[in-house]
Amino acid sequence: MVIKKVSLETVCGITSKIPESPFNEVAFAGKSNVGKSSLINALMNRKALARTSAQPGKTQTINFYNINDAMYLVDLPGYGFAKAPEEIRAKWGKMIERYLHTSKKLKAVFLLIDIRHAPSANDRQMYEWMVYQGYAPVIIATKLDKIRRSQIQKQLKLLREGLDLVPQTVIIPFSAQTKQGREEIWQLIDSLVLEEEMTQEEE
């Protein structure tokens, strides 16, 4: 996709109503500090549209980015942030669940996992819940530049086994530094979001 226009259009807090969307959506979920904001900035060719921070738990809302008045890229709050009070963490979790459960335009969910580590209990819980809700999450293995090329296959195997991935699950290794994986992610988004729109137009 050639990005001509992008803007942060809607921000939903814990008590906000999930908006009715005129466009198809793709959502990005991941543990706090997994590199979600960096990924979103890289996808949109912007340096600081999504705020990145060394401090986990920065994204505490559901952020809807309007791309070319054609689709929404939805940034979900980071889960598993240990320093947030348990009550707040529970509300973030409920907010993510409510969005995934109620969005009528959601076409794909991307789950970000740090390629350097085995998936956490929170990662496994989020993956299992998404599958239970009927989604086939695409796994984005972030921070690819932090490991040696010779380690990649071993770490991907660790992710597959740690999450007990459904067969045929797509895993895309990604680096916000080198942008490796960016094209594959966009090809997937285009195939899921834009082809359906073209089909509807033809009808």
Side-chain angles (χ1 to χ4, degrees), residues 28 43 46 75 99 101 103 113 133 160 171 195 197:
F28 290 81
L43 286 177
R46 301 293 193 276
D75 181 12
Y99 167 72
H101 200 57
S103 173
I113 310 282
Q133 289 299 325
R160 278 194 195 93
I171 304 183
E195 279 185 12
E197 285 190 353

Side-chain angles (χ1 to χ4, degrees), residues 83-153:
K83 287 188 181 170
E86 195 169 326
E87 181 189 349
I88 297 293
R89 278 185 292 159
K91 284 180 177 172
W92 289 349
K94 286 275 181 280
M95 183 162 57
I96 294 170
E97 285 186 17
R98 189 159 51 96
Y99 167 72
L100 293 175
H101 200 57
T102 60
S103 173
K104 295 181 176 70
K105 294 283 195 170
L106 183 58
K107 297 301 168 191
V109 180
F110 292 83
L111 180 59
L112 280 63
I113 310 282
D114 189 329
I115 197 168
R116 298 172 299 176
H117 309 297
S120 67
N122 281 321
D123 291 327
R124 287 195 298 275
Q125 191 177 2
M126 181 56 75
Y127 174 74
E128 286 166 8
W129 191 84
M130 287 173 174
V131 171
Y132 178 74
Q133 289 299 325
Y135 293 104
V138 176
I139 307 300
I140 299 181
T142 63
K143 311 203 184 216
L144 179 62
D145 52 286
K146 306 282 189 195
I147 64 171
R148 291 193 300 274
R149 190 178 289 270
S150 59
Q151 295 176 289
I152 293 173
Q153 291 308 316

Side-chain angles (χ1 to χ4, degrees), residues 168-186:
Q168 268 61 69
T169 297
V170 176
I171 304 183
I172 302 175
F174 175 79
S175 164
Q177 298 296 319
T178 66
K179 306 292 189 291
Q180 185 175 335
R182 181 182 184 276
E183 290 309 311
E184 289 97 314
I185 295 168
W186 266 122

Side-chain angles (χ1 to χ4, degrees), residues 12 28-30 32 36 59-63 75-79 92 95-96:
C12 288
F28 290 81
S32 295
K36 192 153 49 64
T59 306
Q60 300 175 10
T61 52
I62 300 178
N63 298 332
D75 181 12
L76 300 172
Y79 56 82
W92 289 349
M95 183 162 57
I96 294 170

Side-chain angles (χ1 to χ4, degrees), residues 190-203:
D190 286 350
S191 71
L192 293 164
V193 172
L194 300 181
E195 279 185 12
E196 185 184 275
E197 285 190 353
M198 286 162 69
T199 305
Q200 287 172 353
E201 284 170 12
E202 284 167 9
E203 288 170 2

